[in-house]
Amino acid sequence: MKFKAVLLSIALIFFTSPKANSQPHKNITQLAKTEQWRALLHINLQTEADELESYVDDVNFFLAIDGAKNPENELLATIASLKKRDEIQCKFPARTLFLFNNVKGLREEVKPYVCQEYLDWRSTLKTTNVVLVFASAQLNSPSSMYGHTFLRFDPDNVEQNSTYLSYALNFGATVPEGEGGFLYAARGLTGGYPGYFAANPYFEKIKEYSRLENRDLWEYKLDLTQEEINTMLAHIWELQGISFEYYFFDENCSFRLLELLDVARPGLYLAKNFPVTAMPLDTVRVVQEADLIRETNYRPSILTELKAQLAMLSAEENELALALSQDIEVLNSDEFLKLSKVQQQGIVDSAYRYLRYQNTFNGRPKETTRRSFLLLRRLNENRTKLVIPIEQPDRPDLGHKTAMLGFSVGQNLDKSFAEIKYRGSYHDLLDPISGYYTGMSLNMVNAMVRVYEGGDVKLEKAELLDIVSLSARNDYFSPWSWKANISVEQQWTKDKEVLVTQGSGGGGVSYQPLENSYVFLLATGRLEFNRKLDTYAAVAPGLQVGFLYYWPKTTLLVDAEHYQFLFDQTQRSRVSVEQSVGLGQNDSVRFSANFHRVESNTHDNKSFQEFKLEYRHYF
């Protein structure tokens, strides 16, 4: 048995013989400069030689004192350790294989060593396929606003609907319990949290994202060879308990996964595409552009499935399903009994699934649990196969890209202007909707500069954050809609436009009177710092109402907003009409008309209009 274990250990640690075209490097300096060695050390391949530094912040990952900044010394230290310490083969199996394949004679100098823990781990995984999983955006969670990516490792012969035995690899920040709000955002933006890789059964991820957070999952099967998968797994083993600084916008979950792919297949240079920010959706696109995606699978969330099932019911059946979820005696009502057995089962099944969904978030009240049990028993007594057709939405990676550059011409205050706009990310209510959720807007780093006739140049607006989340209410669901905005912007005050700093937000309700539409009403508030107002810091409650409609290639938004400042009694009103037309995946044009009215007890009232025609390119 011991002999077999030794053989198996050798097979896994040295799971591939030197490639036929692999030539041992005689020059250690050259070997330390190779992309594969630097990828194993997580060194940015774009940096100059005198600025080299690993993204890894854990001294336990390095064998040389200056290993984080000197890949040659780390290579030499690894070679020396392999010769002196048998367990180094188990701690660094990917490095071991790389050096055996590239340092002549090293394989013969190092005594084979049984790494039982590593063997058991590889035996548990039995990985033959790797899947990149994208969890869709969740605006109500600050850390998930842009979505999330992780890897899934499948054993052989696993069907798409039977992946519960697969394992998921996730990279995330370790956040102390109870820490949130401003401190959470500040530390997340500045690398204040350590990040770690963690592996869990895939069914736990399905529960987390699909059931608890109502997020659809997109699964992209990667076109990796078994040798590349083995290399990736060997390196993942090396990262156990190793910490990285975690940054929300660049060194995040998605960036780390790209580094793993760069290790598996040297020369891809996927991570170098994101020197500033790494949006999860953009990283999926980079993987697609590298021709690494073999096939795609859509896994709808529990909420998506429930809404699809409820949409199958007629208005009368929906009323009965909702009533049945609240009162089990509906089963004996004349309205229910007159229906066919198929209709009855559809209603019972819908009520049961709705109660299950409610229990996920509201605990398990005794009476609700009792009704759920009685409905389940009714379903088992009259079993019928219920097929719920769920239309697969457009793939998120095939939607428009997240950065945007816009060019506009227009007229404001009877003056013509040209405007250039840059947006760092991500999507607003009027951008092409394919691949994105309706009623969702998330924009960060949005700047607009105008040049007026006569040569005047103005910063029109600079937004740090702009979020709108319209969640439609109906008889079954009662979510809140909300918005938030932080910006520097031009505002007409007394007798001219003034650049002010403001933060605003609000909450309210939205409904869908028509398919693909939203009607919304939000109670809002605004804090404005304006040197032209009677008080430099001014507070204004407000109200916003609007109508949003989506067609396949165009979107219309009509909305009105009013603010009443509390101290100097200034009132601002705005009515806007905006229409956007998509010209393809990454181009659109937009027309907007804005009508403004400013009233005050201390200066003349002012009414003015602004019209603008804009071309947008997403990249």
Side-chain angles (χ1 to χ4, degrees):
M1 292 297 295
K2 184 176 180 181
F3 178 71
K4 291 182 178 179
V6 171
L7 289 179
L8 182 58
S9 178
I10 295 172
L12 281 174
I13 296 177
F14 318 135
F15 34 75
T16 173
S17 59
K19 298 176 184 177
N21 60 355
S22 175
Q23 297 297 325
H25 290 252
K26 295 181 180 180
N27 191 322
I28 293 296
T29 300
Q30 292 177 352
L31 184 59
K33 292 180 180 179
T34 59
E35 57 203 25
Q36 187 171 1
W37 179 248
R38 292 191 177 184
L40 286 171
L41 299 183
H42 293 259
I43 290 176
N44 189 338
L45 298 177
Q46 292 181 299
T47 54
E48 299 295 332
D50 57 346
E51 298 177 353
L52 293 178
E53 185 170 4
S54 172
Y55 287 114
V56 180
D57 303 294
D58 196 323
V59 295
N60 294 316
F61 186 70
F62 303 100
L63 296 172
I65 295 176
D66 60 348
K69 297 183 178 181
N70 192 322
E72 183 174 349
N73 282 354
E74 183 64 18
L75 189 149
L76 291 170
T78 305
I79 292 175
S81 296
L82 283 171
K83 294 178 180 180
K84 297 177 182 179
R85 298 162 53 193
D86 294 339
E87 69 276 10
I88 291 298
Q89 300 175 52
C90 301
K91 185 176 181 179
F92 296 111
R95 291 194 200 182
T96 299
L97 176 67
F98 171 79
L99 294 173
F100 280 179
N101 285 348
N102 290 279
V103 178
K104 186 176 181 180
L106 181 61
R107 186 186 296 267
E108 290 74 23
E109 294 183 55
V110 176
K111 178 183 176 182
Y113 186 74
V114 178
C115 304
Q116 194 59 51
E117 190 178 357
Y118 177 61
L119 298 177
D120 293 342
W121 180 69
R122 290 293 303 270
S123 179
T124 299
L125 294 180
K126 296 185 177 70
T127 303
T128 58
N129 287 294
V130 179
V131 179
L132 175 65
V133 183
F134 174 73
S136 57
Q138 167 61 279
L139 284 186
N140 294 324
S141 173
S143 62
S144 303
M145 287 184 172
Y146 291 101
H148 180 66
T149 54
F150 58 95
L151 294 177
R152 189 184 82 212
F153 297 98
D154 293 343
D156 199 13
N157 299 322
V158 171
E159 300 296 332
Q160 288 178 343
N161 294 324
S162 304
T163 54
Y164 288 84
L165 296 179
S166 300
Y167 277 80
L169 180 75
N170 177 69
F171 179 80
T174 301
V175 182
E177 186 175 353
E179 192 165 297
F182 176 79
L183 180 60
Y184 174 77
R187 293 187 65 181
L189 291 171
T190 57
Y193 293 121
Y196 294 89
F197 283 97
N200 304 95
Y202 187 53
F203 71 83
E204 292 182 4
K205 284 297 178 184
I206 293 176
K207 180 179 179 181
E208 176 185 351
Y209 291 117
S210 178
R211 296 182 181 179
L212 298 181
E213 297 185 4
N214 300 321
R215 298 165 71 178
D216 296 336
L217 299 179
W218 288 87
E219 301 165 337
Y220 301 89
K221 189 174 183 179
L222 300 181
D223 189 15
L224 297 175
T225 67
Q226 188 61 53
E227 180 181 343
E228 290 168 339
I229 293 172
N230 290 338
T231 301
M232 179 189 290
L233 289 172
H235 182 59
I236 290 169
W237 178 262
E238 298 176 341
L239 298 174
Q240 290 183 100
I242 299 299
S243 67
F244 298 74
E245 288 182 349
Y246 188 96
Y247 293 84
F248 285 163
F249 291 126
D250 50 5
E251 295 179 38
N252 53 23
C253 61
S254 298
F255 184 82
R256 293 285 166 253
L257 300 187
L258 294 183
E259 287 188 311
L260 294 182
L261 291 174
D262 284 337
V263 167
R265 186 179 294 178
L268 286 174
Y269 302 113
L270 298 180
K272 78 171 187 179
N273 288 281
F274 302 97
V276 180
T277 60
M279 299 297 172
L281 189 51
D282 286 335
T283 61
V284 175
R285 292 192 179 102
V286 166
V287 173
Q288 170 67 39
E289 290 168 0
D291 201 26
L292 282 174
I293 295 177
R294 189 187 307 169
E295 58 185 67
T296 305
N297 179 56
Y298 170 62
R299 187 184 295 272
S301 69
I302 295 298
L303 180 59
T304 299
E305 292 179 343
L306 178 57
K307 287 183 175 180
Q309 180 169 349
L310 295 175
M312 296 169 57
L313 304 180
S314 66
E316 180 185 4
E317 290 169 343
N318 263 306
E319 290 181 8
L320 286 170
L322 183 60
L324 182 57
S325 70
Q326 300 166 352
D327 183 4
I328 198 67
E329 292 303 319
V330 171
L331 290 173
N332 301 318
S333 67
D334 293 337
E335 293 83 356
F336 181 80
L337 293 174
K338 72 179 182 181
L339 300 175
S340 68
K341 293 296 183 182
V342 173
Q343 288 175 302
Q344 290 180 7
Q345 284 299 90
I347 292 170
V348 173
D349 191 77
S350 297
Y352 171 72
R353 290 175 183 264
Y354 177 59
L355 284 178
R356 287 283 305 274
Y357 172 79
Q358 285 188 316
N359 286 342
T360 302
F361 305 99
N362 302 328
R364 294 183 177 273
K366 184 176 179 180
E367 185 56 32
T368 302
T369 302
R370 174 180 170 274
R371 288 197 302 273
S372 182
F373 171 75
L374 293 174
L375 291 173
L376 179 59
R377 187 169 68 180
R378 172 63 181 252
L379 289 171
N380 290 332
E381 291 172 352
N382 303 277
R383 293 191 177 185
T384 58
K385 186 175 181 180
L386 182 64
V387 179
I388 306 173
I390 298 178
E391 183 179 354
Q392 179 173 306
D394 294 332
R395 281 170 47 178
D397 57 298
L398 299 182
H400 70 78
K401 295 184 178 180
T402 53
M404 185 274 295
L405 195 61
F407 303 92
S408 312
V409 292
Q411 188 175 64
N412 178 39
L413 294 168
D414 299 323
K415 284 187 176 181
S416 298
F417 65 82
E419 179 182 278
I420 184 170
K421 176 187 294 185
Y422 169 79
R423 184 183 71 197
S425 67
Y426 169 67
H427 174 82
D428 71 19
L429 294 175
L430 292 166
D431 283 330
I433 195 59
S434 178
Y436 291 83
Y437 287 124
T438 60
M440 168 193 137
S441 175
L442 173 58
N443 301 280
M444 289 189 178
V445 190
N446 189 10
M448 290 163 270
V449 177
R450 285 185 179 178
V451 180
Y452 284 90
E453 56 180 317
D456 289 342
V457 179
K458 285 186 177 181
L459 173 64
E460 181 64 20
K461 180 181 284 190
E463 284 181 331
L464 175 64
L465 172 72
D466 180 51
I467 304 175
V468 179
S469 176
L470 301 180
S471 300
R473 292 185 160 215
N474 56 34
D475 292 336
Y476 290 94
F477 310 103
S478 303
W480 292 102
S481 297
W482 60 280
K483 61 178 288 188
N485 184 279
I486 300 173
S487 70
V488 175
E489 62 186 27
Q490 299 285 347
Q491 282 290 346
W492 183 270
T493 309
K494 293 187 177 179
D495 57 352
K496 66 176 183 177
E497 283 194 324
V498 178
L499 193 64
V500 306
T501 301
Q502 67 85 33
S504 58
V509 296
S510 61
Y511 296 90
Q512 290 187 302
L514 302 170
E515 188 176 2
N516 300 319
S517 72
Y518 291 86
V519 173
F520 57 92
L521 176 65
L522 305 176
T524 58
R526 181 182 177 94
L527 174 61
E528 182 175 309
F529 298 92
N530 186 336
R531 66 181 185 275
K532 281 286 188 176
L533 293 176
D534 292 344
T535 57
Y536 179 67
V539 177
L543 198 67
Q544 183 180 12
V545 61
F547 173 74
L548 178 66
Y549 193 89
Y550 292 95
W551 287 274
K553 296 294 184 181
T554 181
T555 305
L556 172 69
L557 174 63
V558 181
D559 76 306
E561 190 171 34
H562 178 79
Y563 281 108
Q564 171 71 62
F565 285 86
L566 297 180
F567 303 118
D568 67 356
Q569 300 305 304
T570 295
Q571 298 183 56
R572 291 199 194 121
S573 301
R574 172 188 58 80
V575 177
S576 300
V577 179
E578 296 182 84
Q579 182 87 39
S580 174
V581 179
L583 300 179
Q585 178 182 345
N586 289 307
D587 298 277
S588 69
V589 293
R590 182 176 301 190
F591 171 77
S592 61
N594 297 280
F595 305 90
H596 299 267
R597 173 78 175 172
V598 181
E599 299 180 1
S600 176
N601 296 329
T602 60
H603 56 81
D604 293 338
N605 297 334
K606 178 70 174 180
S607 296
F608 60 97
Q609 302 82 39
E610 178 181 294
F611 303 96
K612 185 167 68 173
L613 181 64
E614 179 182 13
Y615 165 74
R616 292 185 164 207
H617 176 69
Y618 308 91
F619 61 97

